[in-house]
Every structure is written in C-alpha cells, then in structure tokens.
Amino acid sequence: MLGGPCPRRAPWTYVSRNGAVHGTAPAAGALPSTTSRRDLPYGAFRTESSAREGLSVRAPRTSAPVRVLPYGASRRGFPYGPPRPAVRAPGRPLDALFTERCRPRTMDPRPAPTRRTPAGRRAEPTDRRRIGPVGGIRPHLPSGAPMETTDPAESSRTEPLPQLDLSPRRSPHATNARLLAEGNVADTVLPGGIPGMAVLGHEALKDFLTHPEVTKNPEHFTALQEGRIPENWPMLLFTTVPGMHTADGAKHRRLRSLISKEFTARRVEELRPRIEGHVSRLLDGLAAAAAAAGDGVVDLHPHFALPLPLEVICELFGVDEEYRQRMHELTEQTLDVTGDPEPAALAYRELTEVVATVVVNRTREPGDDLTSALIALREEDGDRLSEDELNATIRTSIIAGHETTMTLISNAVRALCGHREQLDTVRSGGASWGDVVEETLRWDAPISYFPFRYPKRDLVVDGTLIPKGTPVLAGYSAAGRDKAAHGADADRFDVTRAARESAVRHLSLGHGAHFCVGAHLGRTEAEIALRSLFARFPELDLAVPEADLLRHPSPLDSATDGLPVRLGTEAG
C-alpha cells in the first residue's frame, strides 16, 4: 500500500524509476478531466518541511516548492502521519488488499512520531515501511505534459536502492546485514549484466512469494520477451526450461502432483532404513579414506555429504549407477553462473542427454522407481505429461534433490564444529537433531538467493517499486537472519531457538505453492547423516579455520568447495 497525503488543492507529480518527473498542475480544487482522485500518485510528494532530498518542482498557487520523493525511497519521517493499515473486513476478498487504490485523506500537519532512544542518541522518525501485505500499486500516470523541474539535473534518483553484490566466492551474510539495515528490497546486477532485484526481509519475502500478481512464468520476464537476454545467458536454465519451477497455477499443480506422493512423510519414513544403510556404508568409506590419508584428515564432501543425497534421489528416479557421478559433475557446471557461459551450456546439453538416456532405459526396462511411473503415465495420457515436461521434471528433481541436501549437511557440520556448546546441547538432550537441521536452514540457508519471480504488474514492496517484469531473487539467506523476524540474536546459531515462544518458521525451503516438494526427504537425510556422523566420530572437527574455506563460485548457494575435517578417534 502507498502511504501519505493526497491534498485536493496540491498539484500531483509522478517520479518514474529513472527519476523522470511527470505531472500536471491543475487549478486549485480541480483535477485533470482524465483523472479521478483515485488515479493520483498517492503519497508521491512532500512539502519543503520534510527536509528530505528529492526533486524540487514548481507548484502553482504556492510560494514554496514541493519536494518529490522518488519511488523506491524510504518513507521514514513522512510528515503527514502514518499510512492506513491494510485491514480485511469480514467477507471482503483478500485480493482487495492488493488491488484497491488508495483514497485521499485529510492532511495531518503534525510531525511524525519518533522512537524513544537512549540518552545521547538522536531520535529518528518511526519506521513505517512495514504497513501490511505486499502489493501497494503504483497508480497509472494520467495523460499530460511532463512537469518542469527547477533544475533538470535533479531528475536523477537522489536515494538509490542499496545494491546486492553477487560477486562469487563470498559469504552473503555481511552484505545481507548491511542491506537489511537499509530496507527489505535491493537492486542487483545478475550474472551477464542483467538488472534485477532481490527481496530480503522475512515478512516482505513471505508476502511476496504468495502475492497473486507474482509469477514464475517467464512469459512475464520483460527483458526476455523483448529479446534483450542473450541466448548464452548463464541463468537461462532458471528461466526458460519447462517444468514445475517455471510454472504456476493449474499447470504447476498438475506437474507437482505427479511426484509429490513420493515425497510424503509416510513415503519418506519407508525410505529411512535404506537411508540409514547408505549412511553406515559411507561412514565406513569415510574412515578408510581418513586412514589412508595418514593424518586423519578427509574431505567430507566427496566421501559423505554428496554421495548420500545423490544416491537416494537417483535410486528414487531409477538412474543407473554409471550415470550418477557424471550427473553431479554436469550439475555443478550447469549451476556455475559466474564464468564462461559456453561450458555451462554444453554441460546442460549433456545433462539433458543423460536424462534422456535414463528415460530410454526405464522405458525398455521399467522398474519400481519414479521415472518408470512417469513414463507409464505419459504413455497412458500424454495430455498430463509431455516428453519435455517428463525430462525437465526428472532433471530438476535430481539437481534440487542432491545439491541442496549436500549443502545442508555441510553447513550443519561447519556450524556445529564452530559452536561446540551447541553440539553439547544436542548430546545432552537439550535439543534434537531435527532442531539442528532447522536452525541450520535458518542460519545458513543452502540456497542464498533463489531465482526467479516476476511481478505481473508494478508492485510496491516495503515502499520500494518493483517494476513489472523484473527478475526478482528470493533472498533466503537474508530472511533467515532478519532480526525483525528472528530477534536481536538472529546472527547466533542456537539449536534451542525453535523452543522459544517467539520462534518464527524460516523460509529457506520456500513458501506457498512452490514450497520445496522434497523438503521432508532432505530434512530426514540430513538428520540421519548428522546423528550418525557425530555418534561415530564424536571428536570430529574442521581441519582448517572456517575463514580459510573457499566458497563455491556460484553466488546463489552457500556451499564451500570442500570441507576438510579431522575425524579423531571413533566411538567404541
């Protein structure tokens, strides 16, 4: 919702995202013939007394200039009183909160209230950015000549959005903390130089993910539809490949329903003995690798954190063992969005060919696996599942089904080794291994920034305009440490956090219709892996300082390139 005054006698102005000023200057008490008060850019201007940087425009019938607040700038210190909260009356459709335009109200000349602050600190105006559900709509610009400014040079944006740096091999948390201190939305430049945005705050992101005017369908990606995205763009995989992750509505429900029954809690519990068998075998191999190394140091990734989820998901989809390691290698190359796009494109094509080979093998020799079941469904009713959708579903499920769980296990081991008191809490019964998994998901989300959502129309999120068709990243790592949601100690790893009355569920596995379909499987794998690992090797610790661990080149996830650990003495 937009907030602020809409005085009838004041001229209206509109400031576009690039800082250009448009508007008309009607006579006192009049409105343009093509404009109703509901079309005014509600709250888009301020008086000189606001002392806020902005654009100065000439206003008729007044000697004082009008200060214009560019869209996207913070509305702290808004001098006319708080915006009206979004309240849904009984029986009123929820969508009305997102589509109703703001009505004018009487100007309140009183100064904005201020917070009580400790002595010696300047009191700041109350933060009124969070004003209810996401979805304040930028009013349409009525016809009329652009309004002249006192200084054309002032037409540039005076308060640019903070910039999310997606440079590779860097932890996102310091950047997220800085950005969250400024607001819940940030500009960013995606790999390949494509402009985008990111929603970072917990509540803002939660609302944005379920907004009815936000879609995963790339038909609403403006730059793509206008032909401004190169064919070798490294993030095209996240945009154009048909499947659940680029579908909405009925199509998404249809595709999701085809595999969701294999990931229910009951089905995953049936897989528990098989998962425990894999873990036991991998721990034997881990011990052997450490012994062969001589110093007891072994990389946890290739010997444990990776093969466990890779084998489980490949078994579920009937992937022949000879293709499994190659599928992971191709996945790593495909997800590398920071380097030369050509190797990533070649890897994706080969990955597609491998999946097609698996489909051919399961067509000839069906088994008790999900790929065979999907093939049978396609042959029975081709309208429910096309060949492209079949291949995309298998490919996406295998990628997501092992990469994120590998990172989850790795991040949890790093967190416990760096917070030994939390490990002691778990061992003493003060928290469960399930609590460790949930706190790791919040504290260091496996996917830092998840692509993409696109607004179907211009939306205002936390006072910031996100233009129609902008590719938007979901900032899971930032939301997990948002102090407004998780408390002042959000940066602290605390396995007992879930027991607090004020505990808030994290968003690291998504929210709404696109919540991770394999969430229960990933949680179960991580829980079994961590419990068994620390039970067998109670002295396990990092073999190098955590600061020396090299981050994965992709800015989208929180993985490290490896995780060298020293196992120590095995439990008797």
Side-chain angles (χ1 to χ4, degrees):
M1 296 284 179
L2 294 172
C6 190
R8 186 179 181 187
R9 294 179 178 270
W12 64 265
T13 60
Y14 164 70
V15 184
S16 62
R17 184 166 175 76
N18 62 9
V21 180
H22 311 277
T24 62
L31 293 172
S33 60
T34 59
T35 308
S36 70
R37 281 194 295 270
R38 292 172 63 85
D39 289 319
L40 297 179
Y42 187 72
F45 46 85
R46 297 180 175 181
T47 64
E48 180 71 17
S49 62
S50 67
R52 167 73 71 171
E53 290 293 326
L55 300 176
S56 179
V57 300
R58 298 188 184 279
R61 304 182 65 84
T62 178
S63 59
V66 175
R67 286 289 188 182
V68 180
L69 175 65
Y71 273 94
S74 171
R75 288 171 306 185
R76 286 180 176 173
F78 204 85
Y80 303 116
R84 294 171 297 166
V87 179
R88 180 162 64 102
R92 182 185 180 199
L94 179 61
D95 191 53
L97 294 180
F98 302 122
T99 57
E100 178 185 288
R101 294 196 179 157
C102 302
R103 296 184 177 88
R105 62 175 179 178
T106 303
M107 181 188 303
D108 184 354
R110 296 173 297 175
T114 57
R115 293 189 181 92
R116 293 181 180 273
T117 57
R121 291 185 59 189
R122 181 174 60 85
E124 295 183 354
T126 301
D127 186 351
R128 295 185 178 115
R129 293 176 298 163
R130 292 196 180 97
I131 55 177
V134 176
I137 307 166
R138 185 196 71 186
H140 295 290
L141 176 65
S143 60
M147 184 173 262
E148 294 183 357
T149 62
T150 55
D151 182 0
E154 291 184 349
S155 62
S156 61
R157 189 187 187 102
T158 60
E159 292 187 21
L161 278 176
Q163 190 79 19
L164 172 61
D165 186 357
L166 291 179
S167 300
R169 298 193 183 282
R170 61 183 300 168
S171 172
H173 301 301
T175 299
N176 289 338
R178 176 179 58 82
L179 295 177
L180 284 172
E182 300 184 47
N184 290 324
V185 182
D187 270 329
T188 190
V189 177
L190 302 170
I194 305 300
M197 301 183 77
V199 179
L200 307 174
H202 176 93
E203 288 299 327
L205 179 58
K206 184 177 179 181
D207 289 334
F208 183 76
L209 293 177
T210 56
H211 196 293
E213 295 294 335
V214 173
T215 178
K216 299 272 286 183
N217 191 332
E219 291 180 358
H220 297 275
F221 185 2
T222 300
L224 180 67
Q225 299 305 317
E226 293 178 352
R228 293 188 277 118
I229 302 297
E231 293 182 357
N232 64 348
W233 188 43
M235 300 194 75
L236 213 55
L237 167 66
F238 303 101
T239 304
T240 59
V241 177
M244 289 186 296
H245 70 295
T246 56
D248 288 302
K251 181 178 180 179
H252 174 259
R253 290 190 295 271
R254 171 174 61 83
L255 295 173
R256 185 183 177 98
S257 67
L258 299 177
I259 65 170
S260 59
K261 62 184 178 184
E262 293 296 325
F263 296 98
T264 61
R266 180 184 61 81
R267 175 59 175 150
V268 170
E269 284 305 308
E270 293 175 356
L271 295 174
R272 183 178 287 270
R274 188 185 304 178
I275 297 172
E276 291 173 342
H278 284 310
V279 168
S280 178
R281 178 177 53 79
L282 290 171
L283 290 178
D284 291 341
L286 189 66
D295 57 359
V297 175
V298 63
D299 189 346
L300 200 68
H301 277 184
H303 293 95
F304 187 70
L306 166 63
L308 173 61
L310 182 62
E311 290 184 11
V312 171
I313 196 67
C314 285
E315 282 186 0
L316 277 176
F317 279 88
V319 177
D320 301 306
E321 191 168 347
E322 60 187 289
Y323 299 123
R324 295 177 185 179
Q325 183 60 33
R326 184 55 180 162
M327 290 188 79
H328 168 68
E329 295 169 357
L330 294 171
T331 296
E332 290 279 287
Q333 297 173 39
T334 299
L335 297 181
D336 183 3
V337 298
T338 59
D340 185 353
E342 288 304 319
L346 292 174
Y348 176 71
R349 283 196 286 270
E350 184 179 345
L351 180 61
T352 301
E353 293 172 358
V354 172
V355 171
T357 301
V358 171
V359 171
V360 170
N361 291 345
R362 296 289 72 79
T363 302
R364 294 172 179 171
E365 300 178 7
D368 184 18
D369 57 77
L370 194 48
T371 297
S372 298
L374 292 174
I375 293 171
L377 179 64
R378 183 196 61 182
E379 293 177 348
E380 176 184 338
D381 185 359
D383 291 338
R384 290 191 62 188
L385 186 67
S386 68
E387 184 173 354
D388 287 343
E389 290 173 339
L390 169 64
N391 292 339
T393 298
I394 297 171
R395 182 173 56 245
T396 303
S397 298
I398 292 175
I399 291 174
H402 82 275
E403 280 285 334
T404 52
T405 306
M406 177 194 72
T407 305
L408 171 58
I409 294 171
S410 173
N411 288 356
V413 171
R414 284 194 295 110
L416 291 171
C417 289
H419 303 80
R420 305 299 294 193
E421 78 285 356
Q422 299 297 318
L423 181 57
D424 293 338
T425 298
V426 177
R427 285 171 169 163
S428 65
S432 68
W433 288 105
D435 293 331
V436 173
V437 171
E438 294 308 307
E439 179 65 354
T440 302
L441 285 167
R442 180 201 70 83
W443 187 73
D444 202 1
I447 301 177
S448 295
Y449 311 106
F450 192 80
F452 285 117
R453 260 84 171 180
Y454 317 96
K456 295 181 182 178
R457 54 175 168 78
D458 293 348
L459 294 178
V460 173
V461 178
D462 187 40
T464 299
L465 174 68
I466 301 182
K468 172 184 176 181
T470 300
V472 180
L473 297 171
Y476 293 143
S477 61
R481 297 199 186 189
D482 184 359
K483 295 181 179 180
H486 300 287
D489 66 342
D491 290 330
R492 179 172 177 262
F493 182 75
D494 182 4
V495 295
T496 65
R497 187 179 301 272
R500 303 179 187 179
E501 291 185 1
S502 60
V504 175
R505 183 180 293 274
H506 61 78
L507 303 175
S508 299
L509 296 174
H511 181 65
H514 285 272
F515 180 78
C516 177
V517 68
H520 194 72
L521 176 62
R523 283 167 162 153
T524 301
E525 289 175 318
E527 178 186 341
I528 294 173
L530 295 169
R531 183 183 67 244
S532 303
L533 177 66
F534 283 97
R536 183 159 175 178
F537 304 105
E539 300 175 0
L540 183 144
D541 204 353
L542 297 181
V544 299
E546 184 172 355
D548 293 344
L549 293 173
L550 191 62
R551 286 277 173 170
H552 195 271
S554 173
L556 303 182
D557 63 46
S558 62
T560 56
D561 272 354
L563 190 64
V565 296
R566 182 171 284 104
L567 298 183
T569 305
E570 290 192 44

